[in-house]
Short mmCIF file of all heavy atoms in Angstrom, two decimals:
data_model
loop_
_atom_site.label_atom_id
_atom_site.label_comp_id
_atom_site.label_asym_id
_atom_site.label_seq_id
_atom_site.Cartn_x
_atom_site.Cartn_y
_atom_site.Cartn_z
N ILE L 22 107.91 108.01 114.51
CA ILE L 22 109.16 107.22 114.54
C ILE L 22 110.01 107.69 115.74
O ILE L 22 110.50 106.88 116.52
CB ILE L 22 109.93 107.38 113.21
CG1 ILE L 22 109.17 106.66 112.09
CG2 ILE L 22 111.35 106.85 113.33
CD1 ILE L 22 109.70 106.92 110.68
N ASP L 23 110.11 109.01 115.90
CA ASP L 23 110.90 109.56 117.01
C ASP L 23 110.35 109.10 118.36
O ASP L 23 111.10 108.91 119.31
CB ASP L 23 110.87 111.10 116.99
CG ASP L 23 111.68 111.66 115.84
OD1 ASP L 23 112.44 110.89 115.21
OD2 ASP L 23 111.55 112.86 115.55
N ALA L 24 109.02 108.96 118.43
CA ALA L 24 108.38 108.59 119.70
C ALA L 24 108.33 107.06 119.86
O ALA L 24 107.63 106.57 120.75
CB ALA L 24 106.97 109.18 119.75
N ASP L 25 109.02 106.34 118.99
CA ASP L 25 109.06 104.87 119.04
C ASP L 25 107.68 104.23 118.87
O ASP L 25 107.44 103.13 119.35
CB ASP L 25 109.68 104.36 120.36
CG ASP L 25 111.18 104.58 120.37
OD1 ASP L 25 111.79 104.58 119.28
OD2 ASP L 25 111.72 104.77 121.47
N ARG L 26 106.79 104.95 118.19
CA ARG L 26 105.48 104.35 117.90
C ARG L 26 105.51 103.63 116.56
O ARG L 26 104.62 102.86 116.24
CB ARG L 26 104.38 105.43 117.90
CG ARG L 26 104.01 105.90 119.30
CD ARG L 26 102.85 106.88 119.30
NE ARG L 26 103.26 108.22 118.92
CZ ARG L 26 102.83 108.87 117.84
NH1 ARG L 26 101.96 108.32 117.03
NH2 ARG L 26 103.26 110.10 117.58
N VAL L 27 106.52 103.91 115.76
CA VAL L 27 106.67 103.26 114.46
C VAL L 27 108.11 102.78 114.32
O VAL L 27 109.05 103.54 114.49
CB VAL L 27 106.32 104.24 113.31
CG1 VAL L 27 106.59 103.60 111.96
CG2 VAL L 27 104.85 104.66 113.39
N ASP L 28 108.20 101.48 114.01
CA ASP L 28 109.52 100.85 113.91
C ASP L 28 109.97 100.90 112.44
O ASP L 28 109.82 99.93 111.71
CB ASP L 28 109.35 99.40 114.39
CG ASP L 28 110.69 98.73 114.56
OD1 ASP L 28 111.70 99.44 114.70
OD2 ASP L 28 110.71 97.49 114.53
N ALA L 29 110.44 102.07 112.05
CA ALA L 29 110.83 102.26 110.65
C ALA L 29 111.76 103.45 110.58
O ALA L 29 111.91 104.18 111.57
CB ALA L 29 109.58 102.53 109.80
N ARG L 30 112.38 103.64 109.43
CA ARG L 30 113.12 104.89 109.24
C ARG L 30 112.79 105.41 107.84
O ARG L 30 112.52 104.61 106.91
CB ARG L 30 114.61 104.69 109.43
CG ARG L 30 115.17 103.71 108.47
CD ARG L 30 116.57 103.31 108.82
NE ARG L 30 116.76 102.03 108.13
CZ ARG L 30 117.65 101.14 108.40
NH1 ARG L 30 118.47 101.31 109.37
NH2 ARG L 30 117.74 100.03 107.70
N VAL L 31 112.77 106.73 107.73
CA VAL L 31 112.56 107.33 106.41
C VAL L 31 113.96 107.59 105.84
O VAL L 31 114.74 108.35 106.42
CB VAL L 31 111.74 108.65 106.51
CG1 VAL L 31 111.63 109.30 105.14
CG2 VAL L 31 110.35 108.36 107.09
N VAL L 32 114.27 106.91 104.73
CA VAL L 32 115.63 106.99 104.21
C VAL L 32 115.72 107.87 102.97
O VAL L 32 116.82 108.18 102.50
CB VAL L 32 116.19 105.58 103.90
CG1 VAL L 32 116.36 104.79 105.19
CG2 VAL L 32 115.30 104.81 102.93
N LEU L 33 114.55 108.25 102.44
CA LEU L 33 114.56 109.05 101.21
C LEU L 33 113.22 109.76 101.07
O LEU L 33 112.17 109.18 101.39
CB LEU L 33 114.76 108.11 100.01
CG LEU L 33 114.74 108.71 98.60
CD1 LEU L 33 115.90 109.69 98.39
CD2 LEU L 33 114.84 107.58 97.55
N VAL L 34 113.27 111.02 100.62
CA VAL L 34 112.03 111.75 100.29
C VAL L 34 112.16 112.20 98.85
O VAL L 34 113.19 112.74 98.43
CB VAL L 34 111.81 112.95 101.24
CG1 VAL L 34 110.68 113.84 100.75
CG2 VAL L 34 111.51 112.46 102.66
#
Side-chain angles (χ1 to χ4, degrees):
I22 290 171
D23 289 348
D25 287 332
R26 285 185 281 117
V27 175
D28 190 21
R30 60 191 159 200
V31 176
V32 294
L33 177 63
V34 170

